[in-house]
Amino acid sequence: MTTQPDHGQELIPRPERTPEAVRVALARVAPHRISDMERHKEQALTAAIADGKIGHLRHWLTYWQAQVEIERRPDLSARYRAALTAVHGTSSNDDPAFRSAMNELAAVEAEAQRAVSA
């Protein structure tokens, strides 16, 4: 685990950039998502074997690092859940609230990506 800038109360320290560390962290902050992570890992591994490119596995690890970042930081988690609630509360993709909520989801994911890439 590494020391990171203060974003308010963090549930756990940011994990190292290894599959096992990210999996352990996810199990602590969002255990209900472990099966999704494992399924995604199998898809990435299958794609990497099929085309001989390790990029699929790098993408998988980066994606799940960002998911852990969202879950471990209450500030990001609250924004993410509020945006999801707003998305699900709209009647169609044409609803202005839908676009606004989707923009907020993208902003949270981008912030998490930047945090784990720094």
Side-chain angles (χ1 to χ4, degrees):
M1 303 281 177
T2 60
T3 304
Q4 303 303 321
D6 185 24
H7 298 288
Q9 186 66 23
E10 296 172 345
L11 300 180
I12 62 170
R14 183 176 297 144
E16 296 294 330
R17 185 177 168 80
T18 67
E20 184 58 21
V22 173
R23 184 187 182 292
V24 167
L26 186 66
R28 289 184 61 199
V29 295
H32 62 282
R33 300 207 51 209
I34 290 291
S35 62
D36 293 337
M37 180 187 189
E38 292 300 321
R39 189 171 25 262
H40 188 199
K41 179 176 73 177
E42 290 302 317
Q43 292 168 347
L45 186 57
T46 299
I49 291 168
D51 68 13
K53 295 182 181 175
I54 196 168
H56 298 286
L57 297 170
R58 285 185 183 131
H59 171 76
W60 169 80
L61 183 57
T62 300
Y63 174 83
W64 285 100
Q65 276 187 290
Q67 295 305 301
V68 166
E69 186 71 10
I70 291 167
E71 295 291 345
R72 75 180 198 87
R73 286 180 43 193
D75 62 317
L76 289 182
S77 181
R79 286 174 55 202
Y80 194 81
R81 293 194 197 323
L84 277 178
T85 298
V87 165
H88 293 298
T90 60
S91 57
S92 77
N93 295 4
D94 296 326
D95 185 332
F98 176 83
R99 179 54 32 215
S100 176
M102 290 300 290
N103 288 342
E104 178 64 0
L105 286 174
V108 169
E109 289 176 352
E111 184 173 337
Q113 288 283 342
R114 282 190 304 275
V116 299
S117 297

